[in-house]
Amino acid sequence: MNRHDQERAIMVEIQSAIEREGGRDEKLSAVCGIVQERIPRCDWVGFYLVDVESPDELILGPFVGEATEHVRIPLGKGICGQAAKRGETIVVPDVSKANSYLSCSARVRSEIVIPIFVGKKIVGELDIDSHTADAFSEESRKLLERICRVVSALFD
Ligand code: SME
């Protein structure tokens, strides 16, 4: 399979995870599993959601990988909080050089955070940590942004 076919197959899996029976958290968990299994070098995959009661904070949602102490992140703090505040994807090729980075595990070398929008409003984000340095290419960023556009249907 070439890259386009692989990406198409991943998008089909994501779409069916979104359409399966169950609540939003189950669907988000299923998406985490697909991303971790099907996209190389994704060691920790999770969602942070904007707290509807306290919209200047993110709360940890479904994830796969090691447990993290960062269950609440204020907007502007860490890579996650910065991506949410700016409303744009942040790719960190080397976490040891990042500003205001919140470490979840000493094994993490690189990270990507992709905001999820409903219209222009940010509702959450997909956060991925990798044990490989510079794990996220331009192609993987585009694919993950596509996934987040599909996932945003769960927040309408
Ligand atoms: N590294 C993130 C914190 C979340 S953990 O990676 C799971 C950050 O700097 O915001």
Side-chain angles (χ1 to χ4, degrees):
M1 255 206 258
N2 65 29
R3 185 168 60 78
H4 287 290
D5 290 341
Q6 274 167 0
E7 290 188 3
R8 204 169 302 124
I10 292 170
M11 292 312 295
V12 168
E13 280 186 50
I14 296 286
Q15 192 64 50
S16 57
I18 301 290
E19 286 165 7
R20 63 183 246 163
E21 291 290 309
R24 186 171 70 193
D25 279 0
E26 287 170 70
K27 297 177 186 199
L28 292 176
S29 272
V31 171
C32 291
I34 295 165
V35 170
Q36 193 194 43
E37 242 174 66
R38 304 276 295 188
I39 303 180
R41 302 179 293 278
C42 293
D43 295 295
W44 188 96
V45 181
F47 288 96
Y48 279 94
L49 307 178
V50 174
D51 184 352
V52 279
E53 274 152 32
S54 167
D56 51 359
E57 278 190 308
L58 300 164
I59 317 180
L60 180 62
F63 67 94
V64 289
E66 283 174 57
T68 171
E69 63 184 286
H70 302 298
V71 291
R72 275 190 172 269
I73 301 180
L75 255 59
K77 292 274 156 57
I79 310 302
C80 290
Q82 293 178 68
K85 197 167 179 184
R86 289 192 219 157
E88 55 190 44
T89 297
I90 298 184
V91 180
V92 181
D94 177 352
V95 295
S96 73
K97 299 198 172 107
N99 271 335
S100 174
Y101 167 69
L102 303 171
S103 172
C104 285
S105 152
R107 296 174 71 196
V108 174
R109 294 282 171 270
S110 60
E111 177 164 7
I112 185 168
V113 182
I114 307 105
I116 301 164
F117 294 96
V118 172
K120 288 192 172 152
K121 195 171 144 222
I122 175 161
V123 291
E125 56 194 25
L126 176 60
D127 177 23
I128 305 176
D129 288 340
S130 178
H131 299 163
T132 306
D134 203 8
F136 304 104
S137 63
E138 186 61 16
E139 282 78 26
S140 54
R141 181 178 70 77
K142 284 189 188 143
L143 174 62
L144 292 163
E145 286 177 345
R146 263 171 90 187
I147 291 173
C148 284
R149 284 196 290 276
V150 171
V151 166
S152 86
L154 295 176
F155 294 86
D156 264 343

